[in-house]
Amino acid sequence: MKNNKKLCVALLAGLCVASTGYAALEGAYTTAQVGVAGPAWDGAGPYFHFALGDQLNHYLALEGGVTAIPTTTGGSDWLDEGVAHLYSLDGDVKVMLPLGDRFNLYAKAGPSLAYFQNDYHDGVGVMGNGAVGVAFNVTEHWTTDFSVGLMAGDETAVLTTQLGLGYHFA
């Protein structure tokens, strides 16, 4: 829980320090996020996400990405006090609500083709994933964001909290 608080404080401090911002450009972009993920906030492990997207307008974008949760520990029905690994290919539809030239609230959702492995079994399956967050346009090309998400499948549900950095190519 302490790591989540530190992550939130770092994001808010960064947003307060930034003095200028611009609306993100439409067109191709890339984003990378790091954070924590787990079946609950206890025992969470690292979270990594990389995506390529196309921002169609100020309100809609399409993303394709890769997610890696290399080590998650803790107790739940699907983890049984062991260690789990989850890797996925993601496709998302992202809707954004601009709040002036600097901030966007956003939500994204879509399917994931995931490989899941724990101490007892492994397998490939389809999961749903989604996130809600806030993005800050630092410059015309660079953005930063903070989001909370959920990846859920038949026997797996993973909560995520992440901080990201993005670049718009246009």
Side-chain angles (χ1 to χ4, degrees), residues 28-129:
Y29 65 91
T30 185
T31 183
Q33 296 176 313
V34 296
V36 293
W41 300 119
D42 286 344
Y47 170 92
F48 304 98
H49 180 76
F50 176 77
L52 294 172
D54 186 11
Q55 186 167 328
L56 305 174
N57 56 44
H58 290 294
Y59 307 101
L60 183 64
L62 302 174
E63 282 186 4
V66 177
T67 298
I69 303 172
T71 341
T72 300
T73 60
S76 74
D77 292 339
W78 62 275
L79 193 50
D80 296 327
E81 297 294 337
V83 175
H85 313 279
L86 190 146
Y87 303 95
S88 69
L89 298 174
D90 313 314
D92 291 321
V93 173
K94 182 177 180 180
V95 293
M96 298 158 290
L97 177 63
L99 301 175
D101 288 340
R102 298 180 186 183
F103 289 95
N104 287 319
L105 295 178
Y106 70 86
K108 62 182 182 175
S112 293
L113 179 61
Y115 169 73
F116 173 79
Q117 176 189 24
N118 68 13
D119 292 340
Y120 304 104
H121 73 282
D122 61 346
V124 175
V126 176
M127 299 177 69
N129 75 76

Side-chain angles (χ1 to χ4, degrees), residues 108-169:
K108 62 182 182 175
S112 293
L113 179 61
Y115 169 73
F116 173 79
Q117 176 189 24
N118 68 13
D119 292 340
Y120 304 104
H121 73 282
D122 61 346
V124 175
V126 176
M127 299 177 69
N129 75 76
V132 294
V134 60
F136 177 73
N137 302 317
V138 179
T139 69
E140 188 174 37
H141 295 279
W142 289 99
T143 62
T144 186
D145 68 88
F146 174 77
S147 61
V148 176
L150 175 68
M151 296 180 75
D154 287 340
E155 298 180 22
T156 306
V158 179
L159 298 170
T160 63
T161 303
Q162 54 269 350
L163 181 62
L165 182 65
Y167 183 81
H168 287 253
F169 295 103

